[in-house]
Amino acid sequence: SKRDLDEVAHLADEIDLREGKEMTRQGAPAREFFVLLEGEADVRKNGRRINQLGPGDFFGEIALVSDSPRTATVTATSPVHALVITDRSFRRLLKEHPGIQSKVLAAVAARLQDDL
């Protein structure tokens, strides 16, 4: 929601990335959470495209919530404008905003269920 996005924006840095930029790599340590504001990105697991993300979509939450390596590689397929939040700020956001926490955990559950 707009209100949730405003809460995220208070903790985030805005970044611009070129097409082809790898934002996360499967198996790498997790240090950030991303929200796409503009542009598109492909999500690949084991080299196979499993999703395409666009404005309003977020990623990076699974590894941060589970304290595990990245589950997929996300690569910009166009120029991207995004919000990025550090792992520490992400955990604080979830703790201080139960509504956002609920939405993020629902997304984690849905994405993990898709892998089954």
Side-chain angles (χ1 to χ4, degrees), residues 16-85:
D16 291 304
L17 302 168
R18 61 175 170 71
E19 180 178 349
K21 176 68 176 168
E22 193 174 83
M23 294 178 272
T24 68
R25 178 181 292 267
Q26 185 176 352
R31 295 189 181 93
E32 307 91 10
F33 171 75
F34 297 85
V35 179
L36 291 180
L37 299 176
E38 297 174 12
E40 295 182 341
D42 277 348
V43 181
R44 293 185 176 275
K45 188 166 187 171
N46 300 322
R48 187 177 63 88
R49 188 171 109 169
I50 60 169
N51 199 4
Q52 184 172 24
L53 305 175
D57 289 329
F58 58 86
F59 60 95
E61 77 286 352
I62 294 173
L64 291 175
V65 168
S66 64
D67 196 26
S68 61
R70 296 288 190 194
T71 60
T73 297
V74 179
T75 305
T77 56
S78 72
V80 165
H81 184 69
L83 297 175
V84 62
I85 300 174

